[in-house]
Amino acid sequence: MGVEVSDVEFVKARTDKREYRGIVLPNALEVLLISDPETDKAAASMDVRVGSFCDPEGLEGLAHFLEHMLFYASEKYPEEESYGKYITEHGGSTNATTSSESTNFYFDVNVDCSEEALDRFAQFFNKPLMSADATLREIKAVDSENKKNLLSDSCRMIQLEKHLSSKDHPYHKFSTGNWETLEIKPKEKGLDIRLELIKFYEESYSANLMHLVVYGKESLDNLQSLVESKFSDIRNIGREHFQFLGQPYSSEHLQILVKAVPITEGDVLRIKWQITPTLRYYKEGPCNYLSHLIGHEGEGSLFYVLKKLGWALSLVAGEAGANFEYSFFFVSIGLTDAGHEHIEDIIGLLFKYIRLLQNSRFPEWIFNEFFPPEDWLVGGSLLSKFVPSRIQMILDELTPSKVRIFWESKKFDGSANLVEPWYGTPYSVEKVTPSMFQQWIEKAPNENLHLPKPNVFIPTDLTIKLVQEKVKVPIMLRKSSFSRLWYKPDTMFLTPKAYIIIDFNCPLANHTPDQEILTSLYVRLLLDYLNAFAYDADIAGLSYSIQQTVTGFQVRVAGFNDKLKILLDDIISQIEKFEVKLDRFSVLKESMTKEYQNYKFIQPCSQASYNCSMILEDQMWPWVENFEALSHLEADHLSEFAPKLLLRTFLEFYVAGNIEQSEAESIVKHIEDTLFNAPNSLCKPLFPSQYMSRRAVMLEKGLKYYHQTEGSNQKDENSALIQYIQTHQENVKLNVRLHLFSFVASQPAFHQLRTVEQLGYIVYLSTRNDYGVRGLEFVIQSTLKDPRHLDTRVDAFLTMFEKKIYEMPDAEFKRNVNALIDVKLEKFKNIWEESSFFWAEIWSGTLMFDRMEADVNAFILQLQVEALKKLTKEEFIDYFNQYIKVDAPKRKTLSVQVYGRNHYEEYKKIIQEEQSPKTYRIKDIFSFRRSRPLFSWSKGGSSHMEL
């Protein structure tokens, strides 16, 4: 039997120049080939229709465990984790995920390495090796992954929903796996888990259950030949597709109200219905239509009303868990404290809105608004049919008789009489009847619920504007005492889109904890006021954000350029006429208070990262002081502060995309006139002395600093380590040496510390940049070993890795350099990637393009590439010996340690010990920061980076 070539004509976007081909190999493996002559990356993804629903009874997590094991080794490539090593060393990344009905494996890699990468990838599904030693180690990894999730409210609530379902349906299962399900219980039953794993693989993984996508630079014919040679040997055992018939919920699991106790502060109400799966009607998309209306946030919507009443912080609606047999429609509402007291009213209002939809004709114009112009061709083969009867079919299923309500609140602690077995979530269950729903509907407030109005942000002008000068980097187009404008027209992507950033540099934004909190409340209120009007913009392909920064706040607007200025004008208007509304201030302060209360529940590795930043970054305020400041700040304080925040400010603009030069200048001039030049203007230009700087603490050479603390969550078994090695300040030549070391060492560090030593599930090495001060950081989170032990293992790895550095063959060194060059020269995929990169250079002040020079040779990436090309192995080794090696003369090390519940005894011993020579224990972060010199800060103009 030969290869079958599909004659289907793929529907694609008008701007898509790629070529596509569908084929079926003789072993029944279906393949989609994508040829892109312009790409500098190759990629592949294999979807296997075997997921956690297929786990054998009593071996929960086996499919997920198998996903882990296939990365280890194969008969053709027996070296452990050689696949991951190859992908990483050639500029790529790889991962996998196990869902209920399928497992998906994927990678990307530098394009010139695609053939060997595909060959290694194919071995997952051909002849993998699963040694006994690797099996035991990876069970520990799966167990660590599960322990990481035990205190995650999202994981806990998902499992609680599954627990309250039919036991004879696979939806009921625990899917992650842990030490008990993969080691203890199998042994008790006399089972060898490795043999069960191999059996599961051999009986489940079959080519006819697989779908492969391969993306590369080669022609379709060459890609097809490549795929045929690599994947035709995958076994096809004629395995029938797994089918999971029936519904997860029987009558006993419907019409229930479940009260669950979360780990964190913040009440959530989830209403869920079992519905007909709309995958059967994917061209009609009935759930898309209903989720658009029920989840709408504009005037007259359910959320708009709940927010006005002060009962809700957020609302999301949509379809979830969809397959051909069952699906769910859900509405998830983040509640305020006042909302907690009005649950019946909230549920009543939801059903009132559903009743409104029942009594309304479904306007076709709402359906048509789903199609952004870029997707007209694709939309024609997907959501292309407006069929009101399908929408009515789903709407008819959103009834009290099919509902499940999950209500999360710490207020239920002590009253919950049941416990979910896998995560230990306390909960209780009450039956609710249709008559109760009717009562709630009748007593719910009479609010003006109505369908949304037509969307004014739908673009109508998609003209691509001509660019006279093909500039490759941003140019400084305009500068005044109020602002500076960087402009970068779209010369690459040719789409009707734009990207605008406005950075407000405000000296009063965070000089004290009070100021930092008030600035945060100011930003949150701006977003709150914008929500109802700007929600339509988001639907129409325009996104926006307002974020607090270390020097003030930042506005970003992106998307179709046609109506972008309408949105931007509204944002600036809200800033110009800002006032504090007492009711919204109270709601947002309450929400912010809960966020600070939840700090103690963050992952230990996140706590270690926070502590590391507190030590290294000057003028960073501790969360406890911010929390204390928040507790006493009221609306009057913000009303007094807001005008002062903008009293002196400087605006940094970045305008890119399908916008002409004159338009960019006009936008900036209009904003200057609004904020600075109007009769009652808020703003004045900054004095030269007011430009803000953020600086990093300078560690001492030859000294190792320690900061040790207990984990903030006493229930969390995990401990964490960050070993930070501070190397140098901005310098192109030193930067590339640091990047090369991280590039070369990251995968071996993961292999040794995570795979071989099994220190924890979260293990990685990365570079770090604190206001232009560069360094390395090793991050490990573990339940098994205490942070001091983890710290010694990082040093042991670096000592072991010395040999790898010293004995690296010239050819391997050159290959690593070239692979890193390929990574740095990887093309931007869209205007968002391009803009994010350029803005990072502008904001940090390390930009290497001159305002009058548009030559790409003056561009930072090119400088880095040239530095890499000139780098010798001897220079690289010297950098390692000077800055990174354990006993390096210029080594500056900070070990940040967080001790979880499993290691409290070790913590008590360590803090009583005397300091060793050449070490320093940081007991008081703020005294330490005051005692240390600071690096200079590079921001403030172009050409500040040392070459």
Side-chain angles (χ1 to χ4, degrees):
M1 182 179 175
V3 175
E4 296 180 25
V5 180
S6 171
D7 59 358
V8 171
E9 183 177 345
F10 292 95
V11 179
K12 61 181 184 180
R14 291 169 292 179
T15 56
D16 188 355
K17 305 303 181 185
R18 305 178 188 94
E19 294 183 311
Y20 299 82
R21 178 183 294 171
I23 63 173
V24 181
L25 299 184
N27 57 0
L29 173 62
E30 294 188 51
V31 186
L32 172 63
L33 306 173
I34 307 173
S35 172
D36 181 0
E38 301 299 317
T39 187
D40 48 14
K41 283 283 189 179
S45 174
M46 178 75 88
D47 192 75
V48 186
R49 297 295 293 173
V50 178
S52 59
F53 279 9
C54 304
D55 287 345
E57 193 64 35
L59 292 175
E60 294 88 350
L62 194 66
H64 177 222
F65 180 39
L66 176 59
E67 171 222 302
H68 279 236
M69 288 299 300
L70 292 182
F71 280 83
Y72 264 81
S74 63
E75 288 186 11
K76 187 171 183 179
Y77 299 100
E79 181 186 351
E80 200 171 90
E81 285 200 339
S82 60
Y83 161 77
K85 182 173 183 288
Y86 182 86
I87 296 294
T88 303
E89 288 181 350
H90 293 87
S93 62
T94 182
N95 212 330
T97 181
T98 303
S99 61
S100 57
E101 296 186 54
S102 68
T103 305
N104 191 276
F105 304 85
Y106 52 92
F107 75 87
D108 65 82
V109 72
N110 291 340
V111 73
D112 57 345
C113 307
S114 60
E115 182 171 356
E116 184 171 341
L118 276 173
D119 190 53
R120 291 174 177 273
F121 185 60
Q123 306 313 309
F124 281 41
F125 318 103
N126 200 349
K127 294 182 179 180
L129 293 179
M130 305 182 204
S131 69
D133 179 56
T135 300
L136 183 62
R137 280 186 279 126
E138 204 56 29
I139 291 174
K140 294 178 180 178
V142 171
D143 187 61
S144 292
E145 181 179 357
N146 180 64
K147 286 179 176 175
K148 173 183 72 71
N149 296 332
L150 287 178
L151 298 178
S152 162
D153 277 330
S154 60
C155 294
R156 293 164 69 89
M157 296 308 158
I158 288 171
Q159 190 59 44
L160 177 58
E161 288 193 23
K162 294 167 70 174
H163 178 65
L164 296 173
S165 66
S166 300
K167 293 182 179 179
D168 55 356
H169 195 283
Y171 180 79
H172 183 81
K173 291 181 177 181
F174 168 61
S175 58
T176 306
N178 59 23
W179 186 255
E180 181 182 2
T181 66
L182 298 173
E183 175 66 13
I184 295 175
K185 285 188 175 180
K187 279 189 174 179
E188 289 175 351
K189 298 175 182 177
L191 299 176
D192 184 323
I193 193 64
R194 176 174 171 271
L195 296 181
E196 294 299 318
L197 187 71
I198 294 171
K199 177 184 176 184
F200 180 70
Y201 175 82
E202 291 179 344
E203 293 181 356
S204 303
Y205 272 49
S206 178
N208 67 307
L209 300 185
M210 299 180 185
H211 296 81
L212 173 68
V213 178
V214 176
Y215 173 88
K217 192 183 185 76
E218 299 87 346
S219 68
L220 287 175
D221 288 341
N222 289 342
L223 280 175
Q224 181 173 328
S225 297
L226 191 60
V227 167
E228 288 180 42
S229 67
K230 306 300 182 187
F231 293 90
S232 292
D233 290 339
I234 297 175
R235 298 175 313 124
N236 177 11
I237 61 173
R239 182 72 171 83
E240 289 187 6
H241 284 254
F242 291 92
Q243 289 188 311
F244 309 100
L245 303 178
Q247 300 295 311
Y249 306 144
S250 60
S251 58
E252 67 178 290
H253 304 114
L254 301 175
Q255 299 182 48
I256 57 172
L257 169 61
V258 181
K259 296 179 180 178
V261 182
I263 297 293
T264 58
E265 295 288 345
D267 292 8
V268 179
L269 182 68
R270 291 189 177 89
I271 302 97
K272 200 169 185 178
W273 294 267
Q274 192 165 261
I275 62 169
T276 301
T278 62
L279 196 58
R280 303 174 187 173
Y281 312 107
Y282 69 92
K283 289 189 177 182
E284 292 94 330
C287 278
N288 295 64
Y289 190 100
L290 289 174
S291 62
H292 169 72
L293 293 175
I294 297 175
H296 207 280
E297 298 182 17
E299 187 177 343
S301 67
L302 174 63
F303 178 68
Y304 181 87
V305 167
L306 294 177
K307 179 183 167 184
K308 187 177 74 171
L309 291 167
W311 295 348
L313 296 166
S314 63
L315 187 149
V316 180
E319 187 177 17
N323 61 25
F324 277 98
E325 292 299 323
Y326 69 88
S327 187
F328 310 119
F329 191 90
F330 73 93
V331 178
S332 179
I333 304 171
L335 302 173
T336 63
D337 287 346
H340 181 92
E341 304 302 322
H342 290 87
I343 286 296
E344 294 178 0
D345 291 328
I346 292 172
I347 296 171
L349 281 167
L350 169 59
F351 278 97
K352 269 190 175 182
Y353 194 80
I354 292 172
R355 188 172 288 178
L356 167 69
L357 297 180
Q358 288 278 15
N359 296 330
S360 303
R361 297 177 60 187
F362 302 121
E364 188 171 358
W365 62 262
I366 292 178
F367 181 85
N368 293 335
E369 284 187 351
F370 291 157
F371 300 98
E374 65 186 327
D375 289 334
W376 279 341
L377 294 180
V378 175
S381 65
L382 296 174
L383 300 184
S384 57
K385 296 180 181 179
F386 177 59
V387 184
S389 62
R390 297 292 186 215
I391 301 170
Q392 188 67 53
M393 175 190 71
I394 300 300
L395 193 59
D396 288 342
E397 294 181 304
L398 305 187
T399 64
S401 62
K402 289 191 173 184
V403 79
R404 287 156 56 94
I405 302 171
F406 287 79
W407 184 7
E408 303 167 32
S409 176
K410 291 182 77 72
K411 296 180 177 70
F412 301 138
D413 195 9
S415 62
N417 60 339
L418 300 168
V419 177
E420 189 280 319
W422 294 105
Y423 287 82
T425 304
Y427 72 98
S428 63
V429 181
E430 302 172 16
K431 291 296 284 186
V432 288
T433 63
S435 62
M436 294 169 65
F437 282 104
Q438 186 58 38
Q439 292 174 15
W440 297 346
I441 294 170
E442 289 173 357
K443 79 179 189 68
N446 291 317
E447 297 291 334
N448 185 24
L449 293 167
H450 59 79
L451 297 183
K453 298 174 182 177
N455 193 334
V456 299
F457 290 101
I458 299 294
T460 54
D461 182 1
L462 303 176
T463 306
I464 304 299
K465 298 174 181 179
L466 295 178
V467 178
Q468 301 300 324
E469 186 180 358
K470 303 293 185 183
V471 296
K472 297 180 179 179
V473 296
I475 58 173
M476 191 193 295
L477 195 59
R478 183 179 186 276
K479 186 175 182 180
S480 71
S481 59
F482 309 122
S483 70
R484 180 166 58 173
L485 167 61
W486 296 91
Y487 173 65
K488 171 62 176 69
D490 179 10
T491 58
M492 183 182 300
F493 309 106
L494 303 180
T495 59
K497 296 182 178 181
Y499 197 113
I500 296 178
I501 300 172
I502 311 173
D503 190 62
F504 286 72
N505 191 308
C506 307
L508 293 182
N510 61 1
H511 275 180
T512 66
D514 283 14
Q515 290 178 347
E516 184 168 309
I517 292 299
L518 287 168
T519 302
S520 179
L521 286 164
Y522 173 85
V523 167
R524 290 168 189 243
L525 278 170
L526 278 178
L527 288 167
D528 188 75
Y529 298 161
L530 284 163
N531 188 70
F533 174 74
Y535 182 78
D536 274 346
D538 188 56
I539 294 170
L542 281 172
S543 62
Y544 72 98
S545 67
I546 307 176
Q547 296 178 323
Q548 187 174 7
T549 68
V550 295
T551 55
F553 65 96
Q554 192 175 102
V555 174
R556 295 191 181 215
V557 183
F560 293 108
N561 59 276
D562 181 34
K563 304 293 176 67
L564 182 143
K565 192 171 182 298
I566 298 174
L567 176 60
L568 183 59
D569 285 348
D570 192 62
I571 293 173
I572 298 302
S573 175
Q574 289 290 349
I575 292 172
E576 190 266 336
K577 66 181 183 183
F578 180 84
E579 63 175 332
V580 179
K581 298 175 183 177
L582 181 58
D583 59 335
R584 299 312 302 161
F585 176 90
S586 299
V587 168
L588 294 178
K589 180 182 176 180
E590 175 193 306
S591 173
M592 199 170 170
T593 298
K594 290 176 181 177
E595 289 178 22
Y596 274 101
Q597 289 172 335
N598 288 334
Y599 170 82
K600 59 180 174 290
F601 300 116
I602 65 173
Q603 291 271 359
C605 61
S606 297
Q607 185 183 344
S609 179
Y610 169 84
N611 291 344
C612 189
S613 295
M614 284 296 303
I615 292 167
L616 294 174
E617 297 177 12
D618 185 40
Q619 293 185 13
M620 180 177 174
W621 307 114
W623 75 274
V624 289
E625 292 182 8
N626 283 349
F627 190 19
E628 183 179 340
L630 175 63
S631 66
H632 73 256
L633 290 171
E634 300 298 340
D636 289 346
H637 296 105
L638 183 56
S639 296
E640 182 182 348
F641 173 76
K644 295 178 182 177
L645 175 66
L646 295 172
L647 181 62
R648 296 283 175 181
T649 188
F650 183 81
L651 309 185
E652 188 100 56
F653 287 85
Y654 178 86
V655 179
N658 194 40
I659 289 184
E660 294 174 343
Q661 181 172 318
S662 59
E663 288 182 272
E665 292 179 297
S666 175
I667 288 170
V668 173
K669 182 66 167 60
H670 173 70
I671 292 174
E672 281 189 354
D673 288 344
T674 301
L675 297 181
F676 291 93
N677 296 326
N680 297 313
S681 295
L682 290 173
C683 309
K684 301 287 188 296
L686 282 185
F687 291 119
S689 61
Q690 288 184 294
Y691 285 86
M692 301 177 66
S693 64
R694 297 301 295 262
R695 301 166 67 185
V697 168
M698 186 182 296
L699 302 180
E700 187 173 330
K701 297 174 184 176
L703 198 60
K704 187 165 188 176
Y705 298 90
Y706 290 90
H707 180 263
Q708 294 141 333
T709 185
E710 289 182 298
S712 55
N713 182 3
Q714 296 182 353
K715 294 182 179 179
D716 199 328
E717 298 178 350
N718 290 279
S719 294
L721 164 81
I722 290 181
Q723 188 185 112
Y724 166 72
I725 303 171
Q726 191 176 75
T727 54
H728 64 275
Q729 197 166 12
E730 284 295 349
N731 177 299
V732 172
K733 292 178 181 178
L734 296 182
N735 284 0
V736 298
R737 296 172 197 185
L738 177 68
H739 292 163
L740 183 60
F741 178 82
S742 177
F743 186 77
V744 170
S746 291
Q747 196 281 333
F750 179 86
H751 174 71
Q752 180 62 35
L753 301 174
R754 194 268 200 188
T755 305
V756 176
E757 299 187 29
Q758 284 295 315
L759 296 179
Y761 179 73
I762 297 176
V763 177
Y764 63 88
L765 163 64
S766 66
T767 60
R768 182 182 175 109
N769 182 356
D770 294 282
Y771 311 125
V773 178
R774 303 284 181 158
L776 284 171
E777 62 178 12
F778 290 82
V779 179
I780 306 176
Q781 181 167 296
S782 177
T783 58
L784 301 174
K785 301 295 182 180
D786 68 86
R788 179 159 65 174
H789 178 85
L790 301 178
D791 193 55
T792 63
R793 298 317 303 157
V794 170
D795 285 347
F797 165 76
L798 286 171
T799 301
M800 178 188 71
F801 199 65
E802 287 180 27
K803 186 177 180 182
K804 165 76 173 176
I805 296 290
Y806 297 154
E807 298 180 1
M808 184 184 296
D810 291 343
E812 183 180 347
F813 174 78
K814 192 64 178 175
R815 187 176 69 244
N816 284 320
V817 168
N818 289 336
L820 184 56
I821 288 174
D822 287 343
V823 171
K824 290 189 174 295
L825 291 180
E826 185 177 339
K827 296 176 183 176
F828 299 120
K829 302 298 186 297
N830 50 53
I831 192 173
W832 325 130
E833 281 191 9
E834 180 189 73
S835 297
S836 296
F837 177 84
F838 283 132
W839 175 252
E841 295 299 319
I842 292 167
W843 191 87
S844 67
T846 59
L847 50 97
M848 293 304 297
F849 42 86
D850 188 87
R851 62 185 177 132
M852 302 301 293
E853 178 62 70
D855 184 355
V856 75
N857 290 325
F859 178 41
I860 180 77
L861 278 182
Q862 199 65 31
L863 289 171
Q864 293 180 352
V865 169
E866 290 302 318
L868 279 168
K869 288 179 177 178
K870 295 175 182 178
L871 179 63
T872 66
K873 188 173 75 172
E874 290 70 27
E875 290 172 328
F876 178 61
I877 292 173
D878 181 65
Y879 180 82
F880 173 78
N881 287 338
Q882 289 291 317
Y883 294 98
I884 300 173
K885 186 178 176 181
V886 171
D887 57 353
K890 295 183 180 179
R891 194 176 200 252
K892 297 179 284 186
T893 313
L894 169 64
S895 178
V896 180
Q897 304 176 3
V898 174
Y899 286 75
R901 190 181 72 185
N902 285 4
H903 305 119
Y904 281 167
E905 292 303 316
E906 287 87 344
Y907 172 75
K908 292 175 183 177
K909 293 177 184 177
I910 286 171
I911 59 174
Q912 299 299 323
E913 294 177 358
E914 295 293 326
Q915 290 184 186
S916 304
K918 295 186 178 181
T919 66
Y920 181 87
R921 180 174 294 140
I922 301 171
K923 297 179 180 178
D924 183 326
I925 289 177
F926 311 106
S927 296
F928 172 75
R929 279 198 329 210
R930 287 191 292 268
S931 72
R932 296 300 307 158
L934 303 175
F935 286 95
S936 60
W937 195 37
S938 60
K939 186 175 180 182
S942 60
S943 302
H944 282 274
M945 183 188 287
E946 186 179 340
L947 302 183

